[in-house]
Amino acid sequence: MPLPGDDWVVCPRCRTALEHTVRGGVPRPTCPGCGFVFFANPGVGAACVIRDGGGRVLLVQRGPGQFGAGRWCFPCGFVEWGEDVRAAAAREAREEAGVEVVLGEVVQVASNFHEPGKPTIGVWFAATMVDLAAAPIAGDDAVAVAWFDPAAPPPLAFPTDAALLARLSAGR
Ligand SMILES: [Zn+2]
């Protein structure tokens, strides 16, 4: 599979012609002029697993233009550069589901390959709504938000969400 940077011709810093030097078994775009080396790394995503007193989970429906548009997922998104992963998870709950949450333990860590050219690593946190009576409101990238029985989820955008829901519905 092509790696990001395979087709780069000149250094983005100094415009010297790039070489592709093997480091750690992988060819990396490397600049003989300024020493720049590009390492293709997966992105990091953070998700919130918010449950109500009855064990239902809060899912959001993904909006147009996104991967899996029209399908559902846990509130989630990319961790920004310099942002704490837990802060990112709480931010996504606020932005996509309109709820303030307190984060608990990590319930899943997994690699995501649903977009082969854009691999990511996801961290799913258990989360509890600060106000248990609050009504979630879809926002940002989400077009709807609703509670679901983990054993009967709607069509899902991500295989890793499906795996986690299967575990939750089995009580594990
Ligand atoms: Zn350079």
Side-chain angles (χ1 to χ4, degrees):
M1 186 195 307
L3 291 171
D6 277 357
D7 58 350
W8 293 3
V9 177
V10 298
C11 174
R13 270 193 194 149
C14 75
R15 298 188 165 273
T16 298
L18 282 174
E19 297 171 353
H20 293 264
T21 304
V22 173
R23 294 181 181 225
V26 178
R28 321 272 185 187
T30 303
C31 177
C34 72
F36 170 79
V37 181
F38 177 70
F39 293 86
N41 295 130
V44 179
C48 277
V49 179
I50 305 167
R51 305 186 78 173
D52 70 6
R56 295 182 305 169
V57 293
L58 192 64
L59 302 180
V60 298
Q61 187 176 30
R62 299 172 65 77
Q66 292 190 282
F67 179 89
R71 293 175 176 264
W72 295 74
C73 63
F74 289 106
C76 67
F78 283 102
V79 181
E80 298 286 355
W81 195 266
E83 184 181 36
D84 183 272
V85 63
R86 297 176 72 89
R91 174 178 55 73
E92 293 294 344
R94 188 181 311 121
E95 291 177 355
E96 296 191 343
V99 293
E100 294 294 328
V101 295
V102 175
L103 295 184
E105 64 186 14
V106 172
V107 292
Q108 176 169 267
V109 176
S111 292
N112 298 301
F113 297 113
H114 52 266
E115 287 184 281
K118 194 178 175 186
T120 62
I121 294 168
V123 183
W124 286 253
F125 293 94
T128 308
M129 287 166 52
V130 172
D131 176 5
L132 293 175
I137 301 167
D140 195 31
D141 300 334
V143 292
V145 57
W147 296 99
F148 293 93
D149 178 345
L156 297 168
F158 306 122
T160 42
D161 278 353
L164 176 55
L165 283 164
R167 266 179 51 212
L168 293 176
S169 65
R172 285 177 284 134

Tab-separated table of all heavy atoms in Angstrom, residues 14-67:
chain	number	residue	atom	x	y	z
A	14	CYS	N	12.559	23.018	2.818
A	14	CYS	CA	13.612	23.772	2.118
A	14	CYS	C	13.625	23.530	0.613
A	14	CYS	O	14.443	24.098	-0.091
A	14	CYS	CB	14.980	23.433	2.719
A	14	CYS	SG	15.613	21.806	2.235
A	15	ARG	N	12.735	22.688	0.131
A	15	ARG	CA	12.561	22.460	-1.304
A	15	ARG	C	13.721	21.718	-1.965
A	15	ARG	O	13.780	21.637	-3.187
A	15	ARG	CB	12.259	23.777	-2.046
A	15	ARG	CG	10.965	24.406	-1.572
A	15	ARG	CD	10.541	25.608	-2.408
A	15	ARG	NE	9.151	25.945	-2.153
A	15	ARG	CZ	8.108	25.383	-2.805
A	15	ARG	NH1	8.329	24.513	-3.748
A	15	ARG	NH2	6.882	25.720	-2.501
A	16	THR	N	14.629	21.172	-1.181
A	16	THR	CA	15.645	20.273	-1.746
A	16	THR	C	14.950	18.995	-2.234
A	16	THR	O	13.939	18.592	-1.656
A	16	THR	CB	16.683	19.908	-0.651
A	16	THR	OG1	17.335	21.095	-0.220
A	16	THR	CG2	17.714	18.903	-1.166
A	17	ALA	N	15.474	18.380	-3.281
A	17	ALA	CA	14.902	17.118	-3.763
A	17	ALA	C	14.982	16.061	-2.665
A	17	ALA	O	16.037	15.854	-2.060
A	17	ALA	CB	15.662	16.647	-4.996
A	18	LEU	N	13.859	15.405	-2.380
A	18	LEU	CA	13.810	14.406	-1.316
A	18	LEU	C	14.410	13.083	-1.776
A	18	LEU	O	14.319	12.717	-2.950
A	18	LEU	CB	12.363	14.152	-0.893
A	18	LEU	CG	11.711	15.180	0.011
A	18	LEU	CD1	10.236	14.828	0.195
A	18	LEU	CD2	12.401	15.243	1.369
A	19	GLU	N	14.994	12.380	-0.826
A	19	GLU	CA	15.372	10.989	-1.030
A	19	GLU	C	14.417	10.130	-0.199
A	19	GLU	O	13.718	10.641	0.669
A	19	GLU	CB	16.824	10.784	-0.576
A	19	GLU	CG	17.801	11.606	-1.399
A	19	GLU	CD	19.219	11.600	-0.850
A	19	GLU	OE1	19.405	11.053	0.259
A	19	GLU	OE2	20.099	12.133	-1.530
A	20	HIS	N	14.368	8.844	-0.514
A	20	HIS	CA	13.520	7.941	0.267
A	20	HIS	C	14.426	6.914	0.917
A	20	HIS	O	14.870	5.970	0.287
A	20	HIS	CB	12.441	7.324	-0.626
A	20	HIS	CG	11.455	8.357	-1.096
A	20	HIS	ND1	10.256	8.599	-0.477
A	20	HIS	CD2	11.536	9.276	-2.089
A	20	HIS	CE1	9.628	9.589	-1.061
A	20	HIS	NE2	10.376	10.015	-2.059
A	21	THR	N	14.741	7.160	2.181
A	21	THR	CA	15.734	6.383	2.919
A	21	THR	C	15.032	5.410	3.852
A	21	THR	O	14.109	5.792	4.576
A	21	THR	CB	16.615	7.336	3.758
A	21	THR	OG1	17.186	8.301	2.877
A	21	THR	CG2	17.724	6.582	4.460
A	22	VAL	N	15.492	4.155	3.808
A	22	VAL	CA	14.866	3.137	4.658
A	22	VAL	C	15.314	3.332	6.105
A	22	VAL	O	16.509	3.347	6.414
A	22	VAL	CB	15.214	1.713	4.172
A	22	VAL	CG1	14.695	0.669	5.158
A	22	VAL	CG2	14.632	1.472	2.784
A	23	ARG	N	14.346	3.504	6.980
A	23	ARG	CA	14.597	3.563	8.429
A	23	ARG	C	13.555	2.677	9.079
A	23	ARG	O	12.363	2.856	8.833
A	23	ARG	CB	14.412	4.982	8.971
A	23	ARG	CG	15.417	5.974	8.474
A	23	ARG	CD	15.123	7.331	9.105
A	23	ARG	NE	16.066	8.331	8.638
A	23	ARG	CZ	16.677	9.210	9.418
A	23	ARG	NH1	16.427	9.210	10.720
A	23	ARG	NH2	17.499	10.084	8.912
A	24	GLY	N	14.009	1.769	9.915
A	24	GLY	CA	13.073	0.846	10.559
A	24	GLY	C	12.323	-0.003	9.544
A	24	GLY	O	11.177	-0.372	9.765
A	25	GLY	N	12.989	-0.288	8.417
A	25	GLY	CA	12.392	-1.176	7.431
A	25	GLY	C	11.416	-0.521	6.480
A	25	GLY	O	10.825	-1.196	5.637
A	26	VAL	N	11.217	0.785	6.628
A	26	VAL	CA	10.232	1.494	5.808
A	26	VAL	C	10.920	2.687	5.140
A	26	VAL	O	11.655	3.426	5.811
A	26	VAL	CB	9.060	1.998	6.688
A	26	VAL	CG1	8.059	2.782	5.861
A	26	VAL	CG2	8.383	0.829	7.401
A	27	PRO	N	10.684	2.863	3.828
A	27	PRO	CA	11.278	4.043	3.186
A	27	PRO	C	10.601	5.328	3.673
A	27	PRO	O	9.378	5.432	3.659
A	27	PRO	CB	11.026	3.809	1.688
A	27	PRO	CG	9.923	2.806	1.616
A	27	PRO	CD	9.938	2.021	2.895
A	28	ARG	N	11.403	6.254	4.143
A	28	ARG	CA	10.866	7.524	4.659
A	28	ARG	C	11.374	8.667	3.793
A	28	ARG	O	12.577	8.732	3.513
A	28	ARG	CB	11.375	7.784	6.079
A	28	ARG	CG	11.455	6.570	6.970
A	28	ARG	CD	10.186	6.312	7.684
A	28	ARG	NE	10.335	5.200	8.619
A	28	ARG	CZ	9.322	4.659	9.304
A	28	ARG	NH1	8.109	5.134	9.158
A	28	ARG	NH2	9.524	3.662	10.126
A	29	PRO	N	10.479	9.575	3.419
A	29	PRO	CA	10.954	10.776	2.724
A	29	PRO	C	11.973	11.496	3.605
A	29	PRO	O	11.683	11.805	4.763
A	29	PRO	CB	9.681	11.605	2.547
A	29	PRO	CG	8.565	10.603	2.587
A	29	PRO	CD	9.021	9.555	3.568
A	30	THR	N	13.152	11.698	3.060
A	30	THR	CA	14.276	12.230	3.834
A	30	THR	C	14.954	13.327	3.029
A	30	THR	O	15.211	13.152	1.836
A	30	THR	CB	15.290	11.098	4.113
A	30	THR	OG1	14.619	10.034	4.806
A	30	THR	CG2	16.459	11.596	4.956
A	31	CYS	N	15.223	14.446	3.683
A	31	CYS	CA	15.832	15.576	2.985
A	31	CYS	C	17.336	15.627	3.252
A	31	CYS	O	17.753	15.780	4.396
A	31	CYS	CB	15.182	16.879	3.436
A	31	CYS	SG	15.935	18.320	2.668
A	32	PRO	N	18.159	15.499	2.184
A	32	PRO	CA	19.606	15.586	2.373
A	32	PRO	C	20.053	17.026	2.648
A	32	PRO	O	21.183	17.242	3.093
A	32	PRO	CB	20.168	15.089	1.033
A	32	PRO	CG	19.083	15.347	0.041
A	32	PRO	CD	17.779	15.250	0.788
A	33	GLY	N	19.145	17.981	2.436
A	33	GLY	CA	19.516	19.378	2.638
A	33	GLY	C	19.399	19.801	4.088
A	33	GLY	O	20.382	20.245	4.705
A	34	CYS	N	18.216	19.616	4.680
A	34	CYS	CA	17.983	20.148	6.032
A	34	CYS	C	17.792	19.047	7.076
A	34	CYS	O	17.644	19.341	8.267
A	34	CYS	CB	16.776	21.089	6.045
A	34	CYS	SG	15.186	20.258	5.878
A	35	GLY	N	17.750	17.786	6.638
A	35	GLY	CA	17.636	16.706	7.611
A	35	GLY	C	16.214	16.302	7.940
A	35	GLY	O	15.988	15.391	8.744
A	36	PHE	N	15.238	16.965	7.336
A	36	PHE	CA	13.829	16.615	7.577
A	36	PHE	C	13.568	15.148	7.207
A	36	PHE	O	14.010	14.684	6.161
A	36	PHE	CB	12.940	17.534	6.728
A	36	PHE	CG	11.490	17.135	6.679
A	36	PHE	CD1	10.639	17.426	7.736
A	36	PHE	CD2	10.969	16.470	5.566
A	36	PHE	CE1	9.299	17.065	7.680
A	36	PHE	CE2	9.629	16.102	5.511
A	36	PHE	CZ	8.802	16.407	6.572
A	37	VAL	N	12.890	14.438	8.096
A	37	VAL	CA	12.449	13.068	7.809
A	37	VAL	C	10.956	13.008	8.101
A	37	VAL	O	10.504	13.489	9.144
A	37	VAL	CB	13.180	12.029	8.685
A	37	VAL	CG1	12.716	10.619	8.337
A	37	VAL	CG2	14.690	12.149	8.527
A	38	PHE	N	10.199	12.439	7.180
A	38	PHE	CA	8.764	12.314	7.407
A	38	PHE	C	8.407	10.892	7.819
A	38	PHE	O	8.685	9.936	7.098
A	38	PHE	CB	7.972	12.688	6.153
A	38	PHE	CG	6.488	12.506	6.327
A	38	PHE	CD1	5.766	13.341	7.166
A	38	PHE	CD2	5.814	11.476	5.694
A	38	PHE	CE1	4.399	13.165	7.355
A	38	PHE	CE2	4.452	11.287	5.873
A	38	PHE	CZ	3.745	12.140	6.704
A	39	PHE	N	7.811	10.760	9.004
A	39	PHE	CA	7.313	9.481	9.494
A	39	PHE	C	5.788	9.487	9.379
A	39	PHE	O	5.128	10.323	10.005
A	39	PHE	CB	7.701	9.267	10.961
A	39	PHE	CG	9.181	9.095	11.171
A	39	PHE	CD1	10.004	10.210	11.339
A	39	PHE	CD2	9.751	7.837	11.195
A	39	PHE	CE1	11.371	10.053	11.535
A	39	PHE	CE2	11.111	7.677	11.385
A	39	PHE	CZ	11.929	8.794	11.559
A	40	ALA	N	5.244	8.579	8.586
A	40	ALA	CA	3.787	8.473	8.493
A	40	ALA	C	3.287	7.730	9.726
A	40	ALA	O	3.643	6.577	9.952
A	40	ALA	CB	3.398	7.725	7.222
A	41	ASN	N	2.484	8.386	10.537
A	41	ASN	CA	1.936	7.777	11.753
A	41	ASN	C	0.414	7.815	11.697
A	41	ASN	O	-0.154	8.731	11.122
A	41	ASN	CB	2.389	8.550	13.005
A	41	ASN	CG	3.882	8.476	13.232
A	41	ASN	OD1	4.527	9.494	13.434
A	41	ASN	ND2	4.431	7.288	13.179
A	42	PRO	N	-0.237	6.835	12.339
A	42	PRO	CA	-1.701	6.883	12.375
A	42	PRO	C	-2.202	8.051	13.214
A	42	PRO	O	-1.532	8.495	14.150
A	42	PRO	CB	-2.075	5.544	13.032
A	42	PRO	CG	-0.857	5.085	13.742
A	42	PRO	CD	0.317	5.661	13.034
A	43	GLY	N	-3.374	8.537	12.859
A	43	GLY	CA	-4.026	9.542	13.685
A	43	GLY	C	-4.567	8.900	14.950
A	43	GLY	O	-4.671	7.676	15.057
A	44	VAL	N	-4.924	9.713	15.928
A	44	VAL	CA	-5.486	9.206	17.182
A	44	VAL	C	-6.883	9.780	17.369
A	44	VAL	O	-7.084	10.991	17.249
A	44	VAL	CB	-4.604	9.580	18.387
A	44	VAL	CG1	-5.235	9.069	19.681
A	44	VAL	CG2	-3.203	9.012	18.226
A	45	GLY	N	-7.829	8.882	17.637
A	45	GLY	CA	-9.195	9.299	17.899
A	45	GLY	C	-9.581	8.977	19.331
A	45	GLY	O	-9.008	8.079	19.958
A	46	ALA	N	-10.538	9.738	19.849
A	46	ALA	CA	-11.043	9.507	21.202
A	46	ALA	C	-12.562	9.437	21.134
A	46	ALA	O	-13.187	10.212	20.407
A	46	ALA	CB	-10.611	10.635	22.138
A	47	ALA	N	-13.126	8.492	21.876
A	47	ALA	CA	-14.573	8.289	21.847
A	47	ALA	C	-15.112	8.159	23.269
A	47	ALA	O	-14.400	7.740	24.185
A	47	ALA	CB	-14.914	7.023	21.054
A	48	CYS	N	-16.388	8.520	23.426
A	48	CYS	CA	-17.060	8.416	24.725
A	48	CYS	C	-18.139	7.349	24.671
A	48	CYS	O	-18.990	7.371	23.781
A	48	CYS	CB	-17.727	9.745	25.087
A	48	CYS	SG	-16.597	10.913	25.822
A	49	VAL	N	-18.104	6.446	25.637
A	49	VAL	CA	-19.135	5.426	25.776
A	49	VAL	C	-20.018	5.850	26.946
A	49	VAL	O	-19.703	5.590	28.110
A	49	VAL	CB	-18.518	4.040	26.006
A	49	VAL	CG1	-19.597	2.979	26.163
A	49	VAL	CG2	-17.569	3.695	24.855
A	50	ILE	N	-21.098	6.549	26.605
A	50	ILE	CA	-21.993	7.124	27.619
A	50	ILE	C	-23.187	6.182	27.774
A	50	ILE	O	-23.839	5.834	26.791
A	50	ILE	CB	-22.472	8.524	27.171
A	50	ILE	CG1	-21.272	9.427	26.861
A	50	ILE	CG2	-23.377	9.140	28.244
A	50	ILE	CD1	-21.645	10.707	26.123
A	51	ARG	N	-23.438	5.761	29.021
A	51	ARG	CA	-24.544	4.833	29.253
A	51	ARG	C	-25.520	5.439	30.244
A	51	ARG	O	-25.139	6.219	31.117
A	51	ARG	CB	-24.002	3.503	29.783
A	51	ARG	CG	-22.934	2.909	28.861
A	51	ARG	CD	-22.487	1.542	29.295
A	51	ARG	NE	-23.482	0.533	28.909
A	51	ARG	CZ	-23.278	-0.775	29.056
A	51	ARG	NH1	-22.172	-1.219	29.625
A	51	ARG	NH2	-24.201	-1.642	28.673
A	52	ASP	N	-26.802	5.080	30.074
A	52	ASP	CA	-27.797	5.546	31.035
A	52	ASP	C	-28.021	4.469	32.096
A	52	ASP	O	-27.378	3.409	32.074
A	52	ASP	CB	-29.098	5.968	30.330
A	52	ASP	CG	-29.873	4.787	29.747
A	52	ASP	OD1	-29.480	3.619	29.984
A	52	ASP	OD2	-30.876	5.032	29.053
A	53	GLY	N	-28.926	4.750	33.018
A	53	GLY	CA	-29.151	3.834	34.127
A	53	GLY	C	-29.622	2.460	33.686
A	53	GLY	O	-29.428	1.473	34.402
A	54	GLY	N	-30.223	2.404	32.490
A	54	GLY	CA	-30.727	1.134	31.984
A	54	GLY	C	-29.726	0.381	31.125
A	54	GLY	O	-30.054	-0.658	30.535
A	55	GLY	N	-28.511	0.945	31.001
A	55	GLY	CA	-27.478	0.270	30.224
A	55	GLY	C	-27.474	0.636	28.750
A	55	GLY	O	-26.666	0.107	27.985
A	56	ARG	N	-28.391	1.527	28.353
A	56	ARG	CA	-28.378	1.949	26.949
A	56	ARG	C	-27.164	2.831	26.682
A	56	ARG	O	-26.610	3.447	27.600
A	56	ARG	CB	-29.671	2.712	26.612
A	56	ARG	CG	-30.929	1.867	26.702
A	56	ARG	CD	-32.167	2.672	26.296
A	56	ARG	NE	-32.278	3.904	27.098
A	56	ARG	CZ	-33.133	4.904	26.824
A	56	ARG	NH1	-33.932	4.823	25.772
A	56	ARG	NH2	-33.177	5.970	27.598
A	57	VAL	N	-26.749	2.892	25.419
A	57	VAL	CA	-25.592	3.704	25.029
A	57	VAL	C	-26.050	4.867	24.149
A	57	VAL	O	-27.011	4.747	23.380
A	57	VAL	CB	-24.539	2.872	24.265
A	57	VAL	CG1	-23.906	1.831	25.187
A	57	VAL	CG2	-25.139	2.211	23.036
A	58	LEU	N	-25.315	5.977	24.286
A	58	LEU	CA	-25.640	7.169	23.498
A	58	LEU	C	-24.807	7.149	22.220
A	58	LEU	O	-23.576	7.150	22.271
A	58	LEU	CB	-25.330	8.424	24.318
A	58	LEU	CG	-25.879	9.740	23.759
A	58	LEU	CD1	-27.406	9.735	23.754
A	58	LEU	CD2	-25.354	10.918	24.558
A	59	LEU	N	-25.502	7.119	21.087
A	59	LEU	CA	-24.821	7.120	19.785
A	59	LEU	C	-25.242	8.348	18.988
A	59	LEU	O	-26.320	8.908	19.221
A	59	LEU	CB	-25.170	5.856	18.991
A	59	LEU	CG	-24.832	4.514	19.649
A	59	LEU	CD1	-25.239	3.366	18.718
A	59	LEU	CD2	-23.351	4.413	19.992
A	60	VAL	N	-24.372	8.738	18.070
A	60	VAL	CA	-24.687	9.869	17.186
A	60	VAL	C	-24.683	9.384	15.733
A	60	VAL	O	-23.948	8.464	15.369
A	60	VAL	CB	-23.689	11.040	17.359
A	60	VAL	CG1	-23.749	11.585	18.782
A	60	VAL	CG2	-22.267	10.623	17.010
A	61	GLN	N	-25.522	10.037	14.940
A	61	GLN	CA	-25.586	9.716	13.514
A	61	GLN	C	-24.703	10.682	12.744
A	61	GLN	O	-24.794	11.903	12.931
A	61	GLN	CB	-27.030	9.808	13.020
A	61	GLN	CG	-27.205	9.316	11.588
A	61	GLN	CD	-28.655	9.332	11.149
A	61	GLN	OE1	-29.457	10.148	11.604
A	61	GLN	NE2	-29.004	8.421	10.248
A	62	ARG	N	-23.854	10.121	11.894
A	62	ARG	CA	-22.844	10.932	11.210
A	62	ARG	C	-23.435	11.697	10.034
A	62	ARG	O	-24.252	11.174	9.288
A	62	ARG	CB	-21.687	10.039	10.769
A	62	ARG	CG	-21.014	9.364	11.967
A	62	ARG	CD	-20.011	8.336	11.569
A	62	ARG	NE	-18.862	8.886	10.872
A	62	ARG	CZ	-17.857	9.524	11.471
A	62	ARG	NH1	-17.868	9.687	12.777
A	62	ARG	NH2	-16.847	9.994	10.769
A	63	GLY	N	-23.000	12.933	9.904
A	63	GLY	CA	-23.567	13.823	8.898
A	63	GLY	C	-22.973	13.627	7.513
A	63	GLY	O	-22.017	12.863	7.325
A	64	PRO	N	-23.552	14.308	6.517
A	64	PRO	CA	-23.094	14.193	5.128
A	64	PRO	C	-21.624	14.592	4.983
A	64	PRO	O	-21.144	15.466	5.691
A	64	PRO	CB	-23.984	15.197	4.373
A	64	PRO	CG	-25.135	15.475	5.267
A	64	PRO	CD	-24.665	15.255	6.676
A	65	GLY	N	-20.945	13.915	4.072
A	65	GLY	CA	-19.558	14.264	3.783
A	65	GLY	C	-18.557	13.569	4.677
A	65	GLY	O	-17.355	13.662	4.463
A	66	GLN	N	-19.030	12.841	5.687
A	66	GLN	CA	-18.127	12.126	6.579
A	66	GLN	C	-18.065	10.660	6.177
A	66	GLN	O	-18.995	10.139	5.557
A	66	GLN	CB	-18.657	12.179	8.009
A	66	GLN	CG	-18.632	13.544	8.633
A	66	GLN	CD	-18.932	13.398	10.099
A	66	GLN	OE1	-20.067	13.222	10.492
A	66	GLN	NE2	-17.897	13.427	10.896
A	67	PHE	N	-16.995	9.986	6.592
A	67	PHE	CA	-16.964	8.536	6.424
A	67	PHE	C	-18.171	7.947	7.159
A	67	PHE	O	-18.461	8.329	8.287
A	67	PHE	CB	-15.669	7.951	7.007
A	67	PHE	CG	-15.589	6.463	6.884
A	67	PHE	CD1	-15.034	5.882	5.754
A	67	PHE	CD2	-16.118	5.645	7.872
A	67	PHE	CE1	-14.986	4.499	5.619
A	67	PHE	CE2	-16.075	4.257	7.745
A	67	PHE	CZ	-15.510	3.699	6.611
